Amino acid sequence: MALLTVENLTKKYGSKTVVDHISFDFGHHKCIALIGPNGAGKTTTLRTLAGLLKPTEGSIQFESQAKNQDLREWIGYLPQYPSFHSWMTGKEFLIYSGKLAKLSKVEANKRAAELLKEIGISEDAQNERISRYSGGMKQRLGIAQAIIHKPKLLILDEPVASLDPIGRREVLVLMEKLKQEMTILFSTHILNDAEEVSDELLLLNHGKLIESGSLIELRKKYQTTVIELQVEDEVQPYQEKIRALNGVSNTKVERDTLLITTTDMNQARENILSMATKENWKITTFSINKASLEDMFMRVVNN
Amino acid sequence: MQWMTLFQKELLENWRNKKWIWVPLVIILLSVMDPLTTYYLPQIIDSVGGMPEGAVFEIPEMEPAQVIMMSLSQLSSLGVLVVVLVLMGTIAGERKSGVSELVLVKPVSYMNYISAKWVSYLLLVWVSLFLGLLVSWYYINILFGTLTIGEFLTVFFFYGMWLTLVVSLTIFYNTVFKSAGLVAFFTILTIMVMSIITQIFQHVLDWSPNNLSSYILESLSSGEISSELFATAGVTLILSILLIFLSGLIFKRKEMAV
């Protein structure tokens, strides 16, 4: 049974449809990336799932959710630009968040201490006002407040967008670790991040869910069939020979690289390589382009 | 439990941002200003050069009851303004900065969120009012004559009701507008409109909250608390509670967190 099932979720502001009948579901301990260009409706989708916005249409159903039960108990949420009570210390804010999430005073204290250690905020910094925290510390504190009550679903809106490479790495590592305990749904437009930590992808554009599936599935689906060939000398002379081979549909020279479009990848590869061995070509690069998420993204978005 | 967490947060916040210091101080200042200046008026006039030769200026004898009403009149204008300024961003500001997004995504009951704010600010306002009137009372007893403790408590309690309404009204507008400026503007506008309506329809609106001050004066001069004063206080309290409930409903309906 899926942890969360979303059906026909729609959010309209006046006549403007920001999220347009999207449906998806996902299971436990997954990491799902919601990707899409700016203005695609990612934040609105996440806010609706977090219960901050009410859907205009459609339903959001948690596994084992009783009727009228408050969804928020199971959700941890970090907005894109979290702001805190900056007059509180980091530790105070975590304890406060924990108590709001219905932990007892003792539990809240314990969890706060645990989490502060986990996210690496030093003893000194814990007791400093949040107004003095750096961007990275705030982001980590934001994640800590979101998971203090051990939610089943952690929703992160652009968790790494505003961070420097070191901060980004820290957050990604933290997410990798959290995946063991809960399902993470995060939005991003940085495709490398999505590729790195997520198991499943949801691709949103103009409020519509235009593609979804596991990374491997999508890769296969959008696999490009292009071979890149480079040789020590000019690549030009080989163009005609290769074009004549079985399995090759077209060739194109781009600076020092020969791009070979194939109809049958395996056949083309075999033929090219055997010819190369026979004629002793001085190959420097022979690569089959793995479809990068970016290619896929561009193709899907532009269609 | 959750309510206490929210309530403690409000108290701590108002302690850290010094509201617990400056609000009582301002209220004390406003309360004693008129009684003191009235008493020392001759000396003040002398010290700035005195009256011209031959001018006759008689300063009327003031009754203690009249003097404490002077404190109330200061509180009704500037005091109310201070209360509104203190409260105008309590929810609107949190929404604007985005903290409410973090708070309300937790399983927080909206009613708890609002009522914790309400009670914590009522505490601040009532304590400030108590201190202000206490100091005023002290000087009145020294300078103008006796005002009994019963009279003092009457003034404190019933005038507190008026400020309770002001607090509730500001919180209500906090749930309507996201901008603190609009909250302040509409709260003050509402108070002004209420006062105009009360004056125009004086013959039917016996129990309008705006009449609290005049009933307080009446009861001080007659020496007993009239049924009108009780009824008006009752109406004021009910209005306040209704406003808070309404705020809670608006909060539930509206997408308040963002």
mmCIF file of all heavy atoms in Angstrom, chain B residues 91-133:
data_model
loop_
_atom_site.group_PDB
_atom_site.id
_atom_site.type_symbol
_atom_site.label_atom_id
_atom_site.label_comp_id
_atom_site.label_asym_id
_atom_site.label_seq_id
_atom_site.Cartn_x
_atom_site.Cartn_y
_atom_site.Cartn_z
ATOM 1 N N ILE B 91 0.275 38.622 14.535
ATOM 2 C CA ILE B 91 0.060 37.528 13.586
ATOM 3 C C ILE B 91 0.483 37.970 12.193
ATOM 4 O O ILE B 91 1.190 37.254 11.483
ATOM 5 C CB ILE B 91 -1.417 37.086 13.574
ATOM 6 C CG1 ILE B 91 -1.805 36.531 14.952
ATOM 7 C CG2 ILE B 91 -1.657 36.030 12.505
ATOM 8 C CD1 ILE B 91 -3.280 36.269 15.110
ATOM 9 N N ALA B 92 0.091 39.193 11.836
ATOM 10 C CA ALA B 92 0.418 39.703 10.501
ATOM 11 C C ALA B 92 1.929 39.640 10.252
ATOM 12 O O ALA B 92 2.372 39.224 9.185
ATOM 13 C CB ALA B 92 -0.085 41.133 10.356
ATOM 14 N N GLY B 93 2.703 40.022 11.263
ATOM 15 C CA GLY B 93 4.155 40.022 11.116
ATOM 16 C C GLY B 93 4.704 38.618 10.932
ATOM 17 O O GLY B 93 5.591 38.388 10.120
ATOM 18 N N GLU B 94 4.152 37.672 11.686
ATOM 19 C CA GLU B 94 4.626 36.290 11.563
ATOM 20 C C GLU B 94 4.285 35.722 10.190
ATOM 21 O O GLU B 94 5.038 34.938 9.626
ATOM 22 C CB GLU B 94 4.018 35.414 12.668
ATOM 23 C CG GLU B 94 4.630 35.688 14.021
ATOM 24 C CD GLU B 94 4.178 34.711 15.090
ATOM 25 O OE1 GLU B 94 3.396 33.797 14.790
ATOM 26 O OE2 GLU B 94 4.623 34.887 16.234
ATOM 27 N N ARG B 95 3.137 36.151 9.670
ATOM 28 C CA ARG B 95 2.780 35.670 8.335
ATOM 29 C C ARG B 95 3.692 36.278 7.294
ATOM 30 O O ARG B 95 4.108 35.626 6.358
ATOM 31 C CB ARG B 95 1.335 36.052 8.019
ATOM 32 C CG ARG B 95 0.333 35.221 8.754
ATOM 33 C CD ARG B 95 -1.061 35.711 8.480
ATOM 34 N NE ARG B 95 -1.428 35.539 7.086
ATOM 35 C CZ ARG B 95 -2.434 36.185 6.511
ATOM 36 N NH1 ARG B 95 -3.132 37.064 7.202
ATOM 37 N NH2 ARG B 95 -2.725 35.969 5.262
ATOM 38 N N LYS B 96 3.972 37.549 7.481
ATOM 39 C CA LYS B 96 4.787 38.234 6.499
ATOM 40 C C LYS B 96 6.209 37.658 6.468
ATOM 41 O O LYS B 96 6.762 37.410 5.408
ATOM 42 C CB LYS B 96 4.824 39.727 6.816
ATOM 43 C CG LYS B 96 5.180 40.552 5.621
ATOM 44 C CD LYS B 96 4.768 41.987 5.840
ATOM 45 C CE LYS B 96 4.589 42.689 4.509
ATOM 46 N NZ LYS B 96 4.080 44.035 4.679
ATOM 47 N N SER B 97 6.772 37.441 7.648
ATOM 48 C CA SER B 97 8.148 36.939 7.687
ATOM 49 C C SER B 97 8.210 35.478 7.258
ATOM 50 O O SER B 97 9.236 35.002 6.800
ATOM 51 C CB SER B 97 8.726 37.088 9.085
ATOM 52 O OG SER B 97 8.254 36.046 9.905
ATOM 53 N N GLY B 98 7.114 34.763 7.403
ATOM 54 C CA GLY B 98 7.093 33.369 6.987
ATOM 55 C C GLY B 98 7.251 32.380 8.120
ATOM 56 O O GLY B 98 7.221 31.180 7.900
ATOM 57 N N VAL B 99 7.440 32.861 9.363
ATOM 58 C CA VAL B 99 7.556 31.910 10.483
ATOM 59 C C VAL B 99 6.282 31.102 10.627
ATOM 60 O O VAL B 99 6.321 29.931 10.996
ATOM 61 C CB VAL B 99 7.768 32.626 11.835
ATOM 62 C CG1 VAL B 99 8.332 31.672 12.842
ATOM 63 C CG2 VAL B 99 8.631 33.832 11.699
ATOM 64 N N SER B 100 5.157 31.732 10.328
ATOM 65 C CA SER B 100 3.891 31.036 10.511
ATOM 66 C C SER B 100 3.848 29.770 9.658
ATOM 67 O O SER B 100 3.177 28.811 10.004
ATOM 68 C CB SER B 100 2.725 31.949 10.164
ATOM 69 O OG SER B 100 2.865 32.440 8.862
ATOM 70 N N GLU B 101 4.598 29.777 8.570
ATOM 71 C CA GLU B 101 4.635 28.595 7.718
ATOM 72 C C GLU B 101 5.244 27.413 8.480
ATOM 73 O O GLU B 101 4.786 26.286 8.344
ATOM 74 C CB GLU B 101 5.474 28.911 6.477
ATOM 75 C CG GLU B 101 5.055 28.154 5.249
ATOM 76 C CD GLU B 101 5.850 28.565 4.024
ATOM 77 O OE1 GLU B 101 6.560 29.592 4.069
ATOM 78 O OE2 GLU B 101 5.776 27.850 3.019
ATOM 79 N N LEU B 102 6.274 27.700 9.262
ATOM 80 C CA LEU B 102 6.899 26.622 10.036
ATOM 81 C C LEU B 102 6.024 26.210 11.214
ATOM 82 O O LEU B 102 5.959 25.046 11.572
ATOM 83 C CB LEU B 102 8.266 27.065 10.568
ATOM 84 C CG LEU B 102 9.401 27.153 9.562
ATOM 85 C CD1 LEU B 102 10.715 27.379 10.275
ATOM 86 C CD2 LEU B 102 9.481 25.896 8.726
ATOM 87 N N VAL B 103 5.376 27.188 11.817
ATOM 88 C CA VAL B 103 4.588 26.893 13.017
ATOM 89 C C VAL B 103 3.298 26.157 12.647
ATOM 90 O O VAL B 103 2.950 25.158 13.247
ATOM 91 C CB VAL B 103 4.267 28.205 13.768
ATOM 92 C CG1 VAL B 103 3.323 27.936 14.920
ATOM 93 C CG2 VAL B 103 5.554 28.837 14.281
ATOM 94 N N LEU B 104 2.625 26.652 11.610
ATOM 95 C CA LEU B 104 1.300 26.111 11.323
ATOM 96 C C LEU B 104 1.332 24.819 10.518
ATOM 97 O O LEU B 104 0.302 24.188 10.316
ATOM 98 C CB LEU B 104 0.457 27.162 10.605
ATOM 99 C CG LEU B 104 0.169 28.389 11.474
ATOM 100 C CD1 LEU B 104 -0.608 29.420 10.702
ATOM 101 C CD2 LEU B 104 -0.578 28.003 12.734
ATOM 102 N N VAL B 105 2.524 24.420 10.078
ATOM 103 C CA VAL B 105 2.613 23.143 9.400
ATOM 104 C C VAL B 105 2.734 22.022 10.436
ATOM 105 O O VAL B 105 2.558 20.857 10.145
ATOM 106 C CB VAL B 105 3.786 23.138 8.398
ATOM 107 C CG1 VAL B 105 5.095 22.838 9.092
ATOM 108 C CG2 VAL B 105 3.531 22.159 7.273
ATOM 109 N N LYS B 106 2.994 22.424 11.671
ATOM 110 C CA LYS B 106 2.927 21.475 12.776
ATOM 111 C C LYS B 106 1.452 21.329 13.151
ATOM 112 O O LYS B 106 0.657 22.215 12.866
ATOM 113 C CB LYS B 106 3.715 22.029 13.971
ATOM 114 C CG LYS B 106 5.213 22.167 13.700
ATOM 115 C CD LYS B 106 5.905 20.868 13.944
ATOM 116 C CE LYS B 106 7.398 20.916 13.710
ATOM 117 N NZ LYS B 106 7.814 21.333 12.393
ATOM 118 N N PRO B 107 1.121 20.206 13.784
ATOM 119 C CA PRO B 107 -0.304 20.033 14.118
ATOM 120 C C PRO B 107 -0.772 20.996 15.209
ATOM 121 O O PRO B 107 -1.143 20.588 16.294
ATOM 122 C CB PRO B 107 -0.379 18.573 14.561
ATOM 123 C CG PRO B 107 1.008 18.205 14.932
ATOM 124 C CD PRO B 107 1.917 19.028 14.101
ATOM 125 N N VAL B 108 -0.776 22.284 14.886
ATOM 126 C CA VAL B 108 -1.155 23.301 15.852
ATOM 127 C C VAL B 108 -2.622 23.652 15.640
ATOM 128 O O VAL B 108 -3.043 23.909 14.523
ATOM 129 C CB VAL B 108 -0.297 24.569 15.639
ATOM 130 C CG1 VAL B 108 -0.800 25.699 16.500
ATOM 131 C CG2 VAL B 108 1.153 24.281 15.937
ATOM 132 N N SER B 109 -3.374 23.641 16.721
ATOM 133 C CA SER B 109 -4.771 24.060 16.597
ATOM 134 C C SER B 109 -4.803 25.573 16.437
ATOM 135 O O SER B 109 -4.139 26.305 17.161
ATOM 136 C CB SER B 109 -5.548 23.612 17.833
ATOM 137 O OG SER B 109 -6.347 24.659 18.306
ATOM 138 N N TYR B 110 -5.580 26.024 15.447
ATOM 139 C CA TYR B 110 -5.616 27.456 15.171
ATOM 140 C C TYR B 110 -6.181 28.229 16.361
ATOM 141 O O TYR B 110 -5.769 29.342 16.648
ATOM 142 C CB TYR B 110 -6.456 27.725 13.919
ATOM 143 C CG TYR B 110 -5.886 27.083 12.677
ATOM 144 C CD1 TYR B 110 -6.672 26.368 11.794
ATOM 145 C CD2 TYR B 110 -4.520 27.206 12.399
ATOM 146 C CE1 TYR B 110 -6.133 25.783 10.655
ATOM 147 C CE2 TYR B 110 -3.971 26.627 11.265
ATOM 148 C CZ TYR B 110 -4.787 25.906 10.401
ATOM 149 O OH TYR B 110 -4.243 25.329 9.287
ATOM 150 N N MET B 111 -7.142 27.598 17.023
ATOM 151 C CA MET B 111 -7.730 28.266 18.178
ATOM 152 C C MET B 111 -6.681 28.472 19.277
ATOM 153 O O MET B 111 -6.632 29.528 19.898
ATOM 154 C CB MET B 111 -8.895 27.426 18.696
ATOM 155 C CG MET B 111 -10.106 28.204 19.073
ATOM 156 S SD MET B 111 -10.297 29.709 18.115
ATOM 157 C CE MET B 111 -11.974 30.027 18.287
ATOM 158 N N ASN B 112 -5.848 27.439 19.470
ATOM 159 C CA ASN B 112 -4.773 27.580 20.457
ATOM 160 C C ASN B 112 -3.833 28.712 20.087
ATOM 161 O O ASN B 112 -3.424 29.510 20.923
ATOM 162 C CB ASN B 112 -3.936 26.298 20.527
ATOM 163 C CG ASN B 112 -4.615 25.230 21.355
ATOM 164 O OD1 ASN B 112 -5.608 25.505 22.011
ATOM 165 N ND2 ASN B 112 -4.085 24.021 21.314
ATOM 166 N N TYR B 113 -3.492 28.741 18.820
ATOM 167 C CA TYR B 113 -2.547 29.740 18.332
ATOM 168 C C TYR B 113 -3.065 31.142 18.632
ATOM 169 O O TYR B 113 -2.334 32.002 19.139
ATOM 170 C CB TYR B 113 -2.362 29.532 16.824
ATOM 171 C CG TYR B 113 -1.425 30.487 16.135
ATOM 172 C CD1 TYR B 113 -0.044 30.371 16.295
ATOM 173 C CD2 TYR B 113 -1.911 31.492 15.309
ATOM 174 C CE1 TYR B 113 0.820 31.224 15.637
ATOM 175 C CE2 TYR B 113 -1.059 32.347 14.646
ATOM 176 C CZ TYR B 113 0.309 32.214 14.818
ATOM 177 O OH TYR B 113 1.156 33.073 14.168
ATOM 178 N N ILE B 114 -4.344 31.369 18.352
ATOM 179 C CA ILE B 114 -4.900 32.707 18.546
ATOM 180 C C ILE B 114 -5.148 33.005 20.014
ATOM 181 O O ILE B 114 -4.783 34.069 20.511
ATOM 182 C CB ILE B 114 -6.208 32.844 17.732
ATOM 183 C CG1 ILE B 114 -5.849 32.883 16.252
ATOM 184 C CG2 ILE B 114 -6.970 34.087 18.119
ATOM 185 C CD1 ILE B 114 -7.027 32.902 15.338
ATOM 186 N N SER B 115 -5.711 32.031 20.719
ATOM 187 C CA SER B 115 -6.070 32.339 22.098
ATOM 188 C C SER B 115 -4.823 32.482 22.969
ATOM 189 O O SER B 115 -4.821 33.264 23.923
ATOM 190 C CB SER B 115 -7.014 31.281 22.659
ATOM 191 O OG SER B 115 -6.390 30.027 22.678
ATOM 192 N N ALA B 116 -3.750 31.773 22.637
ATOM 193 C CA ALA B 116 -2.515 31.939 23.416
ATOM 194 C C ALA B 116 -1.989 33.359 23.255
ATOM 195 O O ALA B 116 -1.541 33.991 24.218
ATOM 196 C CB ALA B 116 -1.463 30.931 22.972
ATOM 197 N N LYS B 117 -2.060 33.856 22.036
ATOM 198 C CA LYS B 117 -1.655 35.241 21.809
ATOM 199 C C LYS B 117 -2.559 36.194 22.580
ATOM 200 O O LYS B 117 -2.103 37.137 23.223
ATOM 201 C CB LYS B 117 -1.734 35.578 20.312
ATOM 202 C CG LYS B 117 -0.522 35.116 19.528
ATOM 203 C CD LYS B 117 -0.599 35.596 18.105
ATOM 204 C CE LYS B 117 0.526 35.003 17.279
ATOM 205 N NZ LYS B 117 1.853 35.494 17.654
ATOM 206 N N TRP B 118 -3.844 35.925 22.479
ATOM 207 C CA TRP B 118 -4.827 36.791 23.132
ATOM 208 C C TRP B 118 -4.552 36.903 24.628
ATOM 209 O O TRP B 118 -4.405 37.995 25.174
ATOM 210 C CB TRP B 118 -6.220 36.211 22.873
ATOM 211 C CG TRP B 118 -7.378 37.059 23.293
ATOM 212 C CD1 TRP B 118 -7.597 38.355 22.943
ATOM 213 C CD2 TRP B 118 -8.471 36.676 24.126
ATOM 214 N NE1 TRP B 118 -8.765 38.800 23.491
ATOM 215 C CE2 TRP B 118 -9.338 37.783 24.229
ATOM 216 C CE3 TRP B 118 -8.820 35.496 24.785
ATOM 217 C CZ2 TRP B 118 -10.517 37.755 24.966
ATOM 218 C CZ3 TRP B 118 -10.000 35.458 25.504
ATOM 219 C CH2 TRP B 118 -10.835 36.576 25.605
ATOM 220 N N VAL B 119 -4.426 35.738 25.273
ATOM 221 C CA VAL B 119 -4.240 35.750 26.723
ATOM 222 C C VAL B 119 -2.911 36.399 27.091
ATOM 223 O O VAL B 119 -2.837 37.186 28.038
ATOM 224 C CB VAL B 119 -4.346 34.317 27.296
ATOM 225 C CG1 VAL B 119 -4.036 34.310 28.771
ATOM 226 C CG2 VAL B 119 -5.723 33.747 27.042
ATOM 227 N N SER B 120 -1.869 36.122 26.326
ATOM 228 C CA SER B 120 -0.571 36.672 26.708
ATOM 229 C C SER B 120 -0.565 38.198 26.580
ATOM 230 O O SER B 120 0.009 38.892 27.417
ATOM 231 C CB SER B 120 0.541 36.051 25.862
ATOM 232 O OG SER B 120 0.634 36.698 24.623
ATOM 233 N N TYR B 121 -1.224 38.710 25.543
ATOM 234 C CA TYR B 121 -1.278 40.173 25.410
ATOM 235 C C TYR B 121 -2.235 40.799 26.416
ATOM 236 O O TYR B 121 -2.006 41.914 26.894
ATOM 237 C CB TYR B 121 -1.642 40.576 23.981
ATOM 238 C CG TYR B 121 -0.425 40.561 23.081
ATOM 239 C CD1 TYR B 121 -0.149 39.479 22.257
ATOM 240 C CD2 TYR B 121 0.470 41.626 23.093
ATOM 241 C CE1 TYR B 121 0.971 39.459 21.458
ATOM 242 C CE2 TYR B 121 1.599 41.619 22.297
ATOM 243 C CZ TYR B 121 1.844 40.533 21.479
ATOM 244 O OH TYR B 121 2.953 40.517 20.698
ATOM 245 N N LEU B 122 -3.307 40.082 26.740
ATOM 246 C CA LEU B 122 -4.196 40.605 27.777
ATOM 247 C C LEU B 122 -3.435 40.740 29.085
ATOM 248 O O LEU B 122 -3.569 41.731 29.795
ATOM 249 C CB LEU B 122 -5.405 39.679 27.980
ATOM 250 C CG LEU B 122 -6.500 39.766 26.919
ATOM 251 C CD1 LEU B 122 -7.659 38.865 27.304
ATOM 252 C CD2 LEU B 122 -6.983 41.192 26.748
ATOM 253 N N LEU B 123 -2.598 39.737 29.356
ATOM 254 C CA LEU B 123 -1.816 39.780 30.582
ATOM 255 C C LEU B 123 -0.919 41.013 30.584
ATOM 256 O O LEU B 123 -0.853 41.768 31.567
ATOM 257 C CB LEU B 123 -0.977 38.500 30.685
ATOM 258 C CG LEU B 123 -0.355 38.225 32.045
ATOM 259 C CD1 LEU B 123 -1.434 37.941 33.068
ATOM 260 C CD2 LEU B 123 0.601 37.041 31.963
ATOM 261 N N LEU B 124 -0.247 41.240 29.472
ATOM 262 C CA LEU B 124 0.642 42.395 29.355
ATOM 263 C C LEU B 124 -0.134 43.695 29.556
ATOM 264 O O LEU B 124 0.267 44.584 30.313
ATOM 265 C CB LEU B 124 1.317 42.380 27.977
ATOM 266 C CG LEU B 124 2.177 43.592 27.611
ATOM 267 C CD1 LEU B 124 3.379 43.702 28.530
ATOM 268 C CD2 LEU B 124 2.641 43.515 26.164
ATOM 269 N N VAL B 125 -1.276 43.799 28.884
ATOM 270 C CA VAL B 125 -2.048 45.042 28.935
ATOM 271 C C VAL B 125 -2.638 45.258 30.326
ATOM 272 O O VAL B 125 -2.578 46.355 30.874
ATOM 273 C CB VAL B 125 -3.139 45.008 27.843
ATOM 274 C CG1 VAL B 125 -4.158 46.104 28.068
ATOM 275 C CG2 VAL B 125 -2.507 45.151 26.474
ATOM 276 N N TRP B 126 -3.186 44.178 30.917
ATOM 277 C CA TRP B 126 -3.783 44.328 32.252
ATOM 278 C C TRP B 126 -2.728 44.659 33.303
ATOM 279 O O TRP B 126 -2.975 45.480 34.185
ATOM 280 C CB TRP B 126 -4.560 43.072 32.647
ATOM 281 C CG TRP B 126 -5.938 42.993 32.050
ATOM 282 C CD1 TRP B 126 -6.234 42.670 30.758
ATOM 283 C CD2 TRP B 126 -7.187 43.262 32.693
ATOM 284 N NE1 TRP B 126 -7.592 42.719 30.558
ATOM 285 C CE2 TRP B 126 -8.217 43.073 31.722
ATOM 286 C CE3 TRP B 126 -7.551 43.633 33.983
ATOM 287 C CZ2 TRP B 126 -9.567 43.258 32.025
ATOM 288 C CZ3 TRP B 126 -8.904 43.801 34.272
ATOM 289 C CH2 TRP B 126 -9.897 43.620 33.300
ATOM 290 N N VAL B 127 -1.588 44.026 33.227
ATOM 291 C CA VAL B 127 -0.533 44.325 34.203
ATOM 292 C C VAL B 127 -0.081 45.776 34.043
ATOM 293 O O VAL B 127 0.084 46.512 35.024
ATOM 294 C CB VAL B 127 0.665 43.349 34.048
ATOM 295 C CG1 VAL B 127 1.870 43.837 34.819
ATOM 296 C CG2 VAL B 127 0.275 41.969 34.519
ATOM 297 N N SER B 128 0.087 46.212 32.791
ATOM 298 C CA SER B 128 0.501 47.586 32.551
ATOM 299 C C SER B 128 -0.540 48.567 33.083
ATOM 300 O O SER B 128 -0.207 49.555 33.727
ATOM 301 C CB SER B 128 0.691 47.840 31.052
ATOM 302 O OG SER B 128 1.588 46.920 30.518
ATOM 303 N N LEU B 129 -1.804 48.246 32.801
ATOM 304 C CA LEU B 129 -2.883 49.126 33.257
ATOM 305 C C LEU B 129 -2.898 49.195 34.777
ATOM 306 O O LEU B 129 -3.043 50.266 35.363
ATOM 307 C CB LEU B 129 -4.222 48.605 32.736
ATOM 308 C CG LEU B 129 -5.444 49.408 33.167
ATOM 309 C CD1 LEU B 129 -5.461 50.758 32.479
ATOM 310 C CD2 LEU B 129 -6.740 48.655 32.860
ATOM 311 N N PHE B 130 -2.707 48.034 35.395
ATOM 312 C CA PHE B 130 -2.719 47.992 36.854
ATOM 313 C C PHE B 130 -1.616 48.891 37.409
ATOM 314 O O PHE B 130 -1.846 49.715 38.289
ATOM 315 C CB PHE B 130 -2.537 46.547 37.342
ATOM 316 C CG PHE B 130 -2.592 46.421 38.838
ATOM 317 C CD1 PHE B 130 -3.816 46.422 39.495
ATOM 318 C CD2 PHE B 130 -1.426 46.326 39.583
ATOM 319 C CE1 PHE B 130 -3.876 46.321 40.877
ATOM 320 C CE2 PHE B 130 -1.482 46.228 40.968
ATOM 321 C CZ PHE B 130 -2.714 46.221 41.605
ATOM 322 N N LEU B 131 -0.405 48.745 36.871
ATOM 323 C CA LEU B 131 0.710 49.544 37.370
ATOM 324 C C LEU B 131 0.468 51.028 37.111
ATOM 325 O O LEU B 131 0.695 51.865 37.987
ATOM 326 C CB LEU B 131 2.018 49.103 36.690
ATOM 327 C CG LEU B 131 2.478 47.694 37.066
ATOM 328 C CD1 LEU B 131 3.677 47.283 36.240
ATOM 329 C CD2 LEU B 131 2.791 47.622 38.552
ATOM 330 N N GLY B 132 -0.027 51.345 35.918
ATOM 331 C CA GLY B 132 -0.277 52.741 35.574
ATOM 332 C C GLY B 132 -1.283 53.382 36.521
ATOM 333 O O GLY B 132 -1.030 54.444 37.096
ATOM 334 N N LEU B 133 -2.402 52.687 36.711
ATOM 335 C CA LEU B 133 -3.434 53.249 37.561
ATOM 336 C C LEU B 133 -2.997 53.269 39.029
ATOM 337 O O LEU B 133 -3.370 54.163 39.790
ATOM 338 C CB LEU B 133 -4.744 52.472 37.410
ATOM 339 C CG LEU B 133 -5.441 52.668 36.062
ATOM 340 C CD1 LEU B 133 -6.705 51.832 35.987
ATOM 341 C CD2 LEU B 133 -5.765 54.138 35.816
#
